[in-house]
Structure formats: structure tokens, C-alpha cells
Amino acid sequence: GQQLNQSPQSMFIQEGEDVSMNCTSSSIFNTWLWYKQDPGEGPVLLIALYKAGELTSNGRLTAQFGITRKDSFLNISASIPSDVGIYFCAGPSYGQNFVFGPGTRLSVLP
Amino acid sequence: GAGVSQSPSNKVTEKGKDVELRCDPISGHTALYWYRQSLGQGLEFLIYFQGNSAPDKSGLPSDRFSAERTGGSVSTLTIQRTQQEDSAVYLCASSLGGGGRVNNEQFFGPGTRLTVL
């Protein structure tokens, strides 16, 4: 079945630094979703991408739908402590079902 | 409430016992999903309901797992004869459903943390 890979698996950054993470697939996706999960909570949708090449921002977050339709990138600018969490990418598996990547765990050091 | 709710928030059970986990989706959402998340892992799809269609059960790991959705709203995930490897957080999500971009965006509940001793 379809699988998503995310890199890096985890990252430790200093507060104020910019963050970049990506998600790749062996097959083409027509939708990319980025979620963030805080400890003890369910994932929350951050950004949704629906068109190859699309670049979408949500505050300090920017995500891009790769031209090949097999990857997507999420960038966080000027990180703050509340950015800590696990970031998941997701894409449609078939029908309206979705497959999630394994996540990138972000830690922000003060 | 306005969001997806799940109960209980925590469940501790003994190996071999049955458990039921409940999900209340957002009102008006026709699609409902169950996922399992083991410690430090990603989300593992379990089952998906869309309206009155037959559910997609392709993610259920064994026949000990089953789920129902009554009246197109509340859903119950049942695990029979629980095993220690069933210990995980079980997440429920709902979406508007019916196709289309925005209709597919899922909203998650806080999850039920299941511990099998």
C-alpha cells in the first residue's frame, strides 16, 4: 500500500531558529495535509495543499506541494517553545481514507 | 461540544477482558475514522465509516477488533480478549465527507489511552 516517509525523525533546535521538514511518497498524491500533535492531544490540522506547486502559509508556517506530487515540505519560521510536538503529513490512500507519515518530533530549546 | 469527543480518556484493563471505546463526532460530519497510535509512533488506520455505506475495515489488525456506528453519529470501537500489544492511544476523527477538498479534512478527538496489564 501507499506509504509516507518523513524526515528528519526528530530535531532539536534553539528558540528563534527556522525549521524545515519534509514528507515523501513512492506514489503520486493529489492532496497533502500537515498536522501537529501536542502531547496527550489528538492531531490538529495545520495546512492543507491541493495543487502541485502550491505554496500555502498559516502564520509562521509555510507548506509546499512538490511539483512531482510525491513530496511536500513544511517550514516553521522563528520557532517558539509552543511549536514543540509531533508533525505528521498525510495524504489520501484511496477513496476518502488517509495514510499518515511516521511524524517528525520537534523539540525547541530555550 | 463543538469538537470530536472520546470516552473514556484513559482505560486500564486486564489481559483477556473486552473493552469499548466511544467516539462522538462533530455534528453533521458523515465520515468517521478510527486510528491507533502506539507510543512514539505514527497513526495506524483501523476503520472508516462514510454515511450509510459499508465501512472500510481494511485496517483492523485482527478479528478481535470491531466497530459500529449507530444512526450515522456515535461510534464504538470494541476490542475483545485484549492483549498487551493492544496498549496504545486510540484516536477518532471525523470529517464532512462526501468528497471534495474541504470535506476530507479530518478533525481529531483527544484519544483514549488504553493500557492492558
Side-chain angles (χ1 to χ4, degrees), chain A residues 31 33 35 37 40-45 48 50-51 54 86 88 94-103 105, chain B residues 31 33 35 37 40-43 45 48 50 56 58 91 95 97-99 101-106 108-110:
Chain A
T31 299
L33 305 176
Y35 285 84
Q37 185 177 29
E41 302 291 331
V44 174
L45 182 65
Y50 299 105
K51 185 178 179 181
E54 181 181 357
I86 305 176
F88 293 102
Y94 61 91
Q96 292 183 59
N97 188 9
F98 279 79
V99 60
F100 282 76
R105 187 180 297 273
Chain B
Y33 307 76
Y35 296 89
Q37 185 176 31
Q41 302 298 312
L43 279 67
F45 165 75
Y48 157 59
Q50 171 57 63
D56 175 358
S58 59
L91 291 161
S95 68
R101 295 178 169 183
V102 174
N103 292 346
N104 285 341
E105 294 174 11
Q106 297 178 39
F108 283 82

Side-chain angles (χ1 to χ4, degrees), chain A residues 6-71:
Chain A
Q6 290 187 246
S7 65
Q9 290 184 331
S10 62
M11 52 195 317
F12 294 82
I13 61 168
Q14 294 285 338
E15 183 177 355
E17 288 184 356
D18 295 344
V19 175
S20 184
M21 61 187 78
N22 75 319
C23 181
T24 59
S25 169
S26 57
S27 56
I28 290 174
F29 279 74
N30 56 27
T31 299
W32 289 96
L33 305 176
W34 283 95
Y35 285 84
K36 182 197 176 194
Q37 185 177 29
D38 290 329
E41 302 291 331
V44 174
L45 182 65
L46 299 174
I47 293 179
L49 301 165
Y50 299 105
K51 185 178 179 181
E54 181 181 357
L55 186 71
T56 298
S57 293
N58 178 6
R60 293 178 297 106
L61 278 63
T62 301
Q64 184 162 23
F65 193 139
I67 291 293
T68 65
R69 297 170 61 190
K70 292 184 177 182
D71 59 9

